[in-house]
Amino acid sequence: MTPNLAELPLIGLLRSASGRFALLFTALFAAAATAAAVVLWWNTAGALDRQTDAAIRADAVALFERRMDAGVPALISAIADRQALDVQNEVLYLLVAPDRRILAGNLGHWPEEADADAPWIRMALQREGGESEARLLRVDLGQGYRLLVGRDVAEKLRLRALLSEGIAWAAASSALIAVLGAWLLRRALEDRLAPVYGTAAAISGGDLSRRVPLSDRQDEFDRLGMTMNAMLDRIAQLMEGVRGVSDAIAHDLRTPIARARAKLEESLGAAADEAALRAAVEQGITDLDDIARVFKAVLRIAEVEAGARRAAFAPFDLVPMLADVVELYGAAAEAGGQSLDGTLPDTLTMVGDRDLLLQAVANLLDNALKFNPAGGRVALDAQSQGGLVEISVADDGPGLAVADRARVGERFFRTDAARTTPGSGLGLSLVRAVVALHGGEVELADSNPGSTPPGLRVTLRLPAGTPAPAPAAPAA
């Protein structure tokens, strides 16, 4: 039976992020322990070897100079003196004549290893009935005389073996600690991520109310949890908006569609002549055009919120555009027994989409005139302040309750008082989308505080320069 690779412990460990972090921790810990062992070895066993070689080399140089200065007899005397002063019985010497006759020293014979090309020799040694090891340096003295200078390194080898054993035990302990630390690290990561797993599993199971629990540590995992919670809140808001839009479309479009169908159906059987039939068809077309305008407005809001119109941004002067809007809606205001006043500066330059801002301001004036009473006043003001362009439209109408102001930009949202007036509830939704595209904000306030009715003032604050990319506007 072929084993499943995913079920093997090592493969499962590598597939787990916490397992990979644990293995990385183990590798780093092992690398640090190895580096410490190498440094320790270099500073102890290596230092002993270097110290021994340096002592041998200095002794050999001194004896060679003695041979050059005073001859072979003086060299033999110097060797004898050094042996007499060797309390630890570590020094090794062997001086031989050209015929291999031993002239001085405490080695019994000339070793075969000394005839190699390399001057340094390491060889086994029998001394005082026991095994030992010698480190020797061959020196050619000229005229066939040769000298071996060395040390018995058995004690140093025992020290090295003791050091190696200590390093081995330390390495084993370090490995155990590394494995234990890796296991603890993996457990800690899994424990901190367990709430995220649980929340994600609950949400995938349909419980959209679940959120990642947070601790008081405010660490990376808490920041991850806060980000996930914000994302889940946003998803819940979007889903609620989708449900709201669906309900609004069903509610607000059902009546005109049913009315258009009923009129067309009635005209088929009840139209007295061609003129009556034509009038019924024209009314049906008008109702269908209203429905098409609603869908067109929804599509335009979606286009603006997606940022597709940012490519059309360019510098332009707001004042001529606002003056045209005031002139256009001034006639509608006079026809309704109202007044429309515009207070505009000489010039007001900004970077943006002129057509979108024109439609946004037109929507505000249309709403203001629609809800303004007969004889009321609508005012449009524009000014530049602190790098921002402010456009405000104020009326003397019934205003908006504070509770409704937070929802007034939602698609198809209409207050109870507004349901008797024509409209689809998309005007301010488009205004908010356009302002968000330009990186600005919309402010709603009473235009006549303390009065009855309080009226409504809508202020658009837009950056005069090129705005930074704005986040997507909240969907209704």
Side-chain angles (χ1 to χ4, degrees):
M1 180 178 178
T2 303
N4 186 358
L5 293 179
E7 295 178 356
L8 296 178
L10 181 58
I11 300 298
L13 190 65
L14 291 177
R15 288 187 171 217
S16 166
S18 59
R20 292 195 296 272
F21 282 129
L23 290 177
L24 177 62
F25 169 81
T26 304
L28 292 176
F29 194 92
T34 301
V38 169
V39 172
L40 178 62
W41 182 270
W42 175 261
N43 289 331
T44 52
L48 290 175
D49 290 341
R50 292 189 296 273
Q51 183 182 5
T52 300
D53 289 352
I56 293 174
R57 188 179 294 109
D59 200 5
V61 169
L63 291 174
F64 180 81
E65 292 176 351
R66 186 64 178 272
R67 157 75 171 86
M68 294 296 103
D69 293 341
V72 174
L75 176 59
I76 295 173
S77 176
I79 291 174
D81 291 342
R82 280 170 166 75
Q83 287 183 253
L85 294 175
D86 180 22
V87 179
Q88 297 179 347
N89 195 26
E90 289 183 348
V91 296
L92 300 173
Y93 299 102
L94 181 61
L95 175 63
V96 297
D99 58 358
R100 294 292 181 95
R101 181 169 47 87
I102 297 177
L103 301 178
N106 51 2
L107 293 176
H109 64 280
W110 184 265
E112 295 180 0
E113 294 86 349
D115 292 328
D117 294 336
W120 286 98
I121 307 158
R122 186 177 292 273
M123 55 177 286
L125 189 66
Q126 291 284 339
R127 296 190 70 194
E128 300 176 357
E131 288 283 344
S132 184
E133 186 170 329
R135 176 72 167 163
L136 301 169
L137 175 63
R138 186 189 68 233
V139 182
D140 295 324
L141 301 175
Q143 299 178 350
Y145 291 95
R146 290 191 293 179
L147 173 66
L148 288 178
V149 180
R151 296 291 186 273
D152 187 337
V153 294
E155 188 64 31
K156 292 181 175 61
L157 290 178
R158 284 191 289 271
L159 180 60
R160 179 185 293 181
L162 183 63
L163 177 62
S164 300
E165 183 180 357
I167 290 177
W169 279 106
S173 301
S174 299
L176 181 62
I177 293 174
V179 171
L180 179 61
W183 181 79
L184 292 175
L185 176 62
R186 184 182 182 189
R187 284 294 304 273
L189 288 173
E190 290 179 346
D191 289 345
R192 291 307 310 276
L193 291 175
V196 179
Y197 298 154
T199 302
I203 290 174
S204 64
D207 184 5
L208 300 181
S209 64
R210 286 285 295 275
R211 295 295 181 267
V212 179
L214 305 176
S215 67
D216 297 330
R217 287 186 285 267
Q218 298 297 314
D219 56 10
E220 293 83 355
F221 295 99
D222 284 331
R223 290 198 291 272
L224 173 63
M226 287 187 287
T227 303
M228 283 194 62
N229 289 343
M231 177 188 68
L232 294 173
D233 291 340
R234 173 68 172 156
I235 291 174
Q237 179 187 3
L238 291 175
M239 294 188 66
E240 183 65 27
V242 169
R243 284 193 293 268
V245 169
S246 301
D247 294 343
I249 290 177
H251 183 274
D252 290 350
L253 297 186
R254 179 181 58 190
T255 300
I257 291 175
R259 184 171 63 245
R261 184 185 185 283
K263 287 181 178 180
L264 292 174
E265 185 177 11
E266 180 182 358
S267 64
L268 287 176
D273 52 23
E274 182 180 351
L277 181 60
R278 179 180 295 275
V281 171
E282 289 177 351
Q283 182 61 43
I285 292 175
T286 301
D287 292 338
L288 293 177
D289 286 342
D290 292 338
I291 298 171
R293 277 194 294 273
V294 170
F295 282 109
K296 184 177 179 181
V298 172
L299 291 175
R300 183 150 196 182
I301 292 172
E303 178 187 15
V304 172
E305 289 179 346
R309 295 294 297 264
R310 292 183 64 85
F313 278 22
F316 71 99
D317 190 356
L318 268 173
V319 173
M321 182 266 283
L322 295 177
D324 291 342
V325 175
V326 171
E327 182 179 356
L328 176 64
Y329 280 88
E334 291 180 4
Q338 307 172 50
S339 64
L340 173 58
D341 300 326
T343 304
L344 305 175
D346 294 334
T347 183
L348 198 57
T349 304
M350 69 168 291
V351 177
D353 189 316
R354 183 184 184 279
D355 293 338
L356 287 180
L357 289 173
L358 173 63
Q359 183 166 0
V361 175
N363 285 356
L364 293 180
L365 289 176
D366 185 68
N367 280 345
L369 294 174
K370 186 186 301 182
F371 294 102
N372 212 37
R377 174 178 177 271
V378 176
L380 185 148
D381 299 325
Q383 61 178 335
S384 177
Q385 185 172 355
L388 295 176
V389 173
E390 292 189 357
I391 305 171
S392 64
V393 175
D395 60 54
D396 296 331
L400 275 175
V402 177
D404 291 335
R405 292 176 187 176
R407 298 190 58 198
V408 76
E410 296 178 5
R411 299 178 195 178
F412 298 103
F413 174 77
R414 307 188 72 195
T415 62
D416 294 336
R419 291 200 173 272
T420 58
T421 60
S424 59
L426 294 173
L428 282 178
S429 297
L430 179 61
V431 171
R432 285 190 181 274
V434 170
V435 172
L437 179 69
H438 286 77
E441 61 179 5
V442 179
E443 181 184 274
L444 303 176
D446 294 337
S447 61
N448 305 308
S451 301
T452 303
L456 179 66
R457 177 182 294 275
V458 182
T459 303
L460 312 183
R461 292 190 176 89
L462 307 167
T466 303

